């Protein structure tokens, strides 16, 4: 029950539009939900994160909406820009028995923002 | 640059050969993670170090894989008798280990096994 499901696989948005990426999880023990952004040839970089006791978190143009009862969370990118074109991963994490905070990633969404 | 660094960035090897990758974490970070990322997928956890102790290993980490972190600084990941299925991006991440830790990823080592 470690899986995190992410959709859509790819997304094309016009400049200035809203990009929405959705994720769902099964394991209710997850206690932290970060989103990562990855550009080609680079490692993932933390974008924004949320705890399950919060329903929404906003940082600049990026907002996470969290629905604990539905076990779903989503990333909204407002006023999308061509520079936002990247692969976005949702993730979920918990502290495991060996004290690691393993990240369980979704399969990724390739976002293309057209100029 | 004080971020996580990995070396080499790319490695091409023949099936059956051994390869070793190196990760240099952010200097004050005591936690170090290795992940594997295949094309079109998210990274998958391989193993975790707290200082020099390897505290967790994923079931993905077969006995052909070994990782070390001597003196709690840099880490190495070795793959023995490589197989074509080992072709992937190997990512290293480090963190400070505070309550809701942020893991900082390196650029990865892309391995191609021919």
């Amino acid at each position: 029950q470690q899986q995190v499901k992410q959709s859509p696989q790819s997304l094309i948005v016009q400049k200035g539009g809203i990009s929405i990426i959705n994720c769902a999880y099964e394991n209710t023990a997850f206690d932290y939900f970060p989103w990562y952004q990855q550009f080609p040839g680079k490692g993932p970089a933390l974008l924004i994160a949320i705890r399950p006791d919060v329903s929404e978190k906003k940082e600049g143009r990026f907002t996470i909406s969290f629905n604990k009862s539905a076990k779903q969370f989503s990333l909204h990118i407002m006023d999308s820009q061509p520079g936002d074109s990247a692969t976005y991963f949702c993730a979920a994490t918990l502290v495991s028995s060996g004290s690691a905070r393993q990240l369980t990633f979704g399969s990724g969404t390739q976002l293309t923002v057209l100029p | 640059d004080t971020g996580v660094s990995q070396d080499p960035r790319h490695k091409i090897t023949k099936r059956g050969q051994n390869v070793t990758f190196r990760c240099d974490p952010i200097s004050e970070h005591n936690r170090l993670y290795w992940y594997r990322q295949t094309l079109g997928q998210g990274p998958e956890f391989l193993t975790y170090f707290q200082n020099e102790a390897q505290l967790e290993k994923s079931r993905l980490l077969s006995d052909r894989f070994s990782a070390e972190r001597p003196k709690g600084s840099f880490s190495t990941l070795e793959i023995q008798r490589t197989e074509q299925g080992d072709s992937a991006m190997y990512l290293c991440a480090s963190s400070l280990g505070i309550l809701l830790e942020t893991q900082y990823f390196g650029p990865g080592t892309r391995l191609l096994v021919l």
Side-chain angles (χ1 to χ4, degrees):
Chain A
Q1 289 202 331
Q2 293 288 318
Q3 191 176 18
V4 176
K5 295 182 179 179
Q6 182 172 348
S7 63
Q9 188 174 7
S10 63
L11 182 60
I12 300 175
V13 174
Q14 293 286 340
K15 179 182 175 181
I18 302 173
S19 304
I20 302 174
I21 304 171
N22 300 299
C23 286
Y25 64 97
E26 291 293 328
N27 189 347
T28 55
F30 287 134
D31 63 356
Y32 190 53
F33 299 85
W35 285 86
Y36 281 81
Q37 180 188 54
Q38 186 175 29
F39 292 103
K42 304 284 188 181
L46 179 67
L47 191 62
I48 186 172
I50 197 168
R51 291 174 1 185
D53 55 348
V54 177
S55 61
E56 186 175 281
K57 184 174 181 181
K58 183 176 181 180
E59 290 184 0
R61 297 184 294 110
F62 300 92
T63 300
I64 301 177
S65 297
F66 192 88
N67 186 330
K68 188 174 180 179
S69 60
K71 293 187 285 187
Q72 295 175 347
F73 58 112
S74 60
L75 176 69
H76 296 235
I77 305 174
M78 311 300 287
D79 186 28
S80 299
Q81 299 296 312
D84 297 332
S85 297
T87 301
Y88 291 81
F89 293 96
C90 61
T93 180
L94 50 77
V95 179
S96 55
S97 57
S99 83
R101 189 167 267 287
Q102 297 181 26
L103 286 162
T104 300
F105 285 87
S107 55
T109 296
Q110 187 159 353
L111 172 65
T112 302
V113 181
L114 301 176
Chain B
D1 190 329
T2 56
V4 178
S5 62
Q6 293 186 245
D7 185 70
R9 295 292 308 278
H10 304 273
K11 179 71 177 178
I12 299 174
T13 191
K14 292 182 180 179
R15 188 176 52 186
Q17 297 294 305
N18 299 343
V19 294
T20 300
F21 310 140
R22 176 179 171 125
C23 169
D24 286 273
I26 295 172
S27 60
E28 64 268 26
H29 286 186
N30 60 342
R31 294 184 169 211
L32 187 145
Y33 298 79
W34 284 97
Y35 292 83
R36 181 173 70 187
Q37 184 177 23
T38 53
L39 208 59
Q41 297 298 317
E44 294 175 291
F45 170 78
L46 290 179
T47 191
Y48 158 70
F49 289 85
Q50 184 166 328
N51 299 310
E52 67 276 6
Q54 186 175 19
L55 297 182
E56 282 194 40
K57 291 193 286 188
S58 162
R59 285 172 292 179
L60 293 175
L61 210 67
S62 76
D63 55 7
R64 295 186 298 106
F65 288 70
S66 62
E68 295 182 339
R69 193 183 181 196
K71 302 179 183 177
S73 55
F74 71 93
S75 176
T76 59
L77 178 69
E78 181 182 15
I79 309 174
Q80 296 183 326
R81 306 181 303 280
T82 52
E83 301 173 355
Q84 288 184 326
D86 297 331
S87 296
M89 173 80 85
Y90 290 84
L91 292 161
C92 174
S94 71
S95 72
L96 266 176
I98 55 177
L99 187 59
L100 292 172
E101 63 184 52
T102 296
Q103 293 182 27
Y104 295 87
F105 282 83
T109 295
R110 184 167 293 283
L111 172 67
L112 178 61
V113 181
L114 301 176

